[in-house]
Amino acid sequence: MSDFNGGADFSQNAPPTPPFQPPLAPPQNLAPPPPPPMMAPPPGYVPYGGQSFGAYGPFQSVLGIGRTLGILLMLLIPVQIVSLLVSLSLRGKARDLMAERISEDDFKSSLTTTGLVSLLSGALTISIATLTMIWMFRMAKNQRLLQRLGTWGPGWAIGGWFVPPCVLYVVPYLMFRDLWKSSDPDSAHDWRTNKVGTVVHVWWILFGLAPLASLTVTFSRFRITNRSSIQAARDLDNAFITTLISSATQIAAAVAFLLLVRQLTARHARTTHEAG
């Protein structure tokens, strides 16, 4: 059948119109999806951009206290050298007294000079010891924030110096080993396999092992204050070689600790991205 325009009627072949379907209503009482869980950073992660924040909180600053320690050590070393020179002079005074070339008052005056130098050295040593404990404590706290848990926690930065045998300082030495390994900026899970710097071993040999011989010198100096001037001069002369070795060892130990403080502070600051 044709329409009035003469065209063909294709209505018979057109596809059927689908029935009308209303849009589906959103499901009722459907809670929104939960937000994604907080992603914890992997162990050893340190953010970029100089931000001093670890996985669980801010890092402790070590650069400032490390510099102060270095300054005190650079003051202590000359004082120790002066103490060594005073010991050389005191031996001469002791021999002069035994040969009756000087009076006891002159000899006692020399002892007073030695006491003043020892007092200054002792004050610097106490200050260095206090700052060292704080410095080690902060690095141990950062060690935990880096999730590099060592054998010795922050509390051992203080208590370790008083654990017997105190004069050997075994715990501080072992703690320095842990801190050195964990302060490697290029390590994460494998930080325990890092090598310990030679300066750590050298410091312990000079500071923990070698000074055992100085105990005899300390005992002799204690006896000097409780005996006659002649006997004190004789003791000083007899213990001179031991005193000389002990003083030289203390100077070398201070130099080694200065290097240890500088190297470990810089190494740790790189790991925590502390800006200097």
Side-chain angles (χ1 to χ4, degrees):
M1 180 178 180
S2 300
D3 57 10
F4 65 93
N5 290 326
D9 184 4
F10 299 100
S11 60
Q12 299 295 329
N13 298 324
T17 302
F20 172 77
Q21 294 182 354
L24 296 176
Q28 300 297 322
N29 301 326
L30 183 62
M38 296 295 294
M39 302 298 291
Y45 167 78
V46 178
Y48 291 98
Q51 299 288 335
S52 294
F53 285 85
Y56 301 108
F59 287 119
Q60 300 284 319
S61 173
V62 298
L63 281 177
I65 195 169
R67 292 192 186 103
T68 305
L69 263 176
I71 293 173
L72 290 177
L73 285 165
M74 286 188 290
L75 293 175
L76 177 63
I77 293 170
V79 171
Q80 290 178 328
I81 294 175
V82 171
S83 179
L84 176 60
L85 297 177
V86 169
S87 296
L88 294 173
S89 174
L90 190 59
R91 187 201 191 191
K93 295 290 185 180
R95 289 187 167 183
D96 288 342
L97 178 63
M98 290 186 292
E100 299 183 351
R101 290 191 291 266
I102 62 173
S103 65
E104 290 190 12
D105 290 339
D106 291 336
F107 178 70
K108 290 179 180 179
S109 177
S110 300
L111 290 178
T112 302
T113 304
T114 303
L116 292 175
V117 175
S118 298
L119 183 63
L120 178 57
S121 177
L124 286 170
T125 300
I126 292 174
S127 301
I128 290 170
T130 303
L131 286 181
T132 297
M133 294 177 189
I134 300 173
W135 175 62
M136 294 176 67
F137 180 86
R138 291 185 178 185
M139 287 190 293
K141 291 278 287 185
N142 291 343
Q143 188 181 36
R144 289 191 170 185
L145 293 177
L146 291 167
Q147 300 186 42
R148 302 177 183 182
L149 301 179
T151 304
W152 311 96
W156 288 106
I158 301 172
W161 294 93
F162 304 99
V163 174
C166 299
V167 287
L168 294 179
Y169 303 110
V170 174
V171 174
Y173 166 65
L174 296 176
M175 189 168 183
F176 273 132
R177 287 170 53 91
D178 263 6
L179 292 174
W180 186 278
K181 290 181 179 181
S182 64
S183 295
D184 185 359
D186 299 322
S187 297
H189 295 285
D190 58 342
W191 67 271
R192 292 182 182 275
T193 62
N194 294 332
K195 293 183 178 180
V196 180
T198 304
V199 67
V200 178
H201 306 304
V202 172
W203 166 80
W204 185 58
I205 292 172
L206 294 172
F207 190 78
L209 297 182
L212 290 177
S214 67
L215 294 178
T216 305
V217 177
T218 303
F219 181 67
S220 298
R221 288 179 178 174
F222 173 77
R223 292 191 302 167
I224 286 173
T225 61
N226 293 277
R227 308 190 73 173
S228 66
S229 297
I230 296 295
Q231 187 60 51
R234 187 175 294 112
D235 290 340
L236 280 171
D237 186 48
N238 293 335
F240 175 73
I241 298 300
T242 305
T243 302
L244 188 65
I245 296 175
S246 174
S247 299
T249 301
Q250 290 176 9
I251 295 171
V255 173
F257 192 55
L258 175 61
L259 296 175
L260 171 58
V261 168
R262 286 181 171 178
Q263 294 179 24
L264 183 53
T265 299
R267 180 182 176 91
H268 192 85
R270 287 197 304 270
T271 303
T272 59
H273 287 195
E274 181 180 353

